[in-house]
Amino acid sequence: MRTAKVERKTKETDIKLTLNLDGKGQYSMDSSIPFLDHMLSLMCKHGILDMKLKAKGDIDVDFHHTVEDIGIVFGKAVKQALGDMKGISRFGQATVPMDEALASVSLDISGRPYLIYKVELPKRSRIRNFEADLIEDFLQGFVSNSGITLHVRSPYGRNAHHIIEAVFKAMGRALKEAVSIDSRIKGVPTTKGKL
């Protein structure tokens, strides 16, 4: 079982996260940010990941620190759970519709963190009290700490909730594909000999 447990405590946040890449899609999210909990739950369900998250942050100031730090911790957990990366498929991609919205995610477990985020959201998008543009900060924290190259694109959509939901479902499915073990792959999937 490829699992990880990561904790991060700063003056702004206190986060504990456990992850099982070979899970059953079971999750428990408690970040004090209901919309983010909902999105992470969708990602786990569609990525068949088991994850438990407990996060406290200075959300009375802003959601930014908590959202970004959860991305950092999730990235570290994925990297830790992948271990030596032997036999992984490495690449994953998924395109997911959510009513009128469409999102595509492509990723490469390359050891080279890079984020391309081309998501058109309605101006000043808020889902209840959640600022939709914080999703890019979450993903930047994730790629910087997982070593993953991640391309996220949503060419259209009217509702910010639907657009972001499609992104997280696609991310779960792409991650599931990339971390899957292929018995035909010997060692790591690169001609360099090391990711």
Side-chain angles (χ1 to χ4, degrees):
M1 297 277 265
R2 297 172 297 165
T3 62
K5 182 177 182 180
V6 178
E7 297 184 13
R8 174 182 167 90
K9 188 170 186 173
T10 70
K11 291 181 180 178
E12 298 165 338
T13 63
D14 185 359
I15 300 167
K16 296 175 178 66
L17 186 147
T18 59
L19 176 69
N20 179 356
L21 295 177
D22 303 306
K24 297 179 180 178
Q26 298 174 344
Y27 50 85
S28 171
M29 306 297 172
D30 182 9
S31 71
S32 302
I33 305 172
F35 181 73
L36 183 62
D37 290 346
H38 177 45
M39 294 301 109
L40 293 172
S41 299
L42 291 166
M43 180 189 69
C44 289
K45 189 66 164 179
H46 292 276
I48 316 179
L49 306 168
D50 290 350
M51 189 162 91
K52 184 174 183 180
L53 170 69
K54 180 75 173 167
K56 293 180 183 177
D58 57 356
I59 60 172
D60 54 323
V61 174
D62 189 81
F63 287 172
H64 180 269
H65 298 142
T66 305
V67 172
E68 183 177 47
D69 285 8
I70 290 170
I72 289 168
V73 170
F74 179 53
K76 288 182 178 187
V78 168
K79 186 173 186 175
Q80 186 183 116
L82 280 168
D84 63 14
M85 295 184 274
K86 289 182 179 173
I88 64 167
S89 294
R90 180 176 163 180
F91 297 96
Q93 61 183 12
T95 299
V96 171
M98 176 63 201
D99 295 348
E100 85 297 342
L102 187 74
S104 296
V105 171
S106 298
L107 61 86
D108 176 11
I109 303 172
S110 61
R112 295 182 307 279
Y114 204 93
L115 175 64
I116 297 293
Y117 187 75
K118 301 285 185 184
V119 175
E120 295 296 324
L121 292 167
K123 290 189 187 263
R124 298 185 183 178
S125 292
R126 294 179 80 85
I127 296 103
R128 199 169 180 198
N129 57 350
F130 185 87
E131 295 174 27
D133 60 359
L134 290 176
I135 296 304
E136 186 173 0
D137 299 316
F138 168 85
L139 294 173
Q140 186 62 61
F142 169 70
V143 301
S144 296
N145 290 274
S146 63
I148 287 176
T149 297
L150 178 66
H151 291 245
V152 180
R153 196 167 48 87
S154 179
Y156 52 82
R158 177 190 53 79
N159 180 286
H161 186 139
H162 291 172
I163 293 166
I164 295 169
E165 183 166 332
V167 166
F168 273 83
K169 287 176 177 176
M171 186 162 159
R173 296 182 73 83
L175 195 56
K176 175 181 68 172
E177 183 179 325
V179 304
S180 68
I181 300 293
D182 186 329
S183 61
R184 298 169 297 170
I185 298 171
K186 303 303 177 200
V188 290
T190 177
T191 55
K192 296 177 185 177
K194 183 178 181 181
L195 288 171

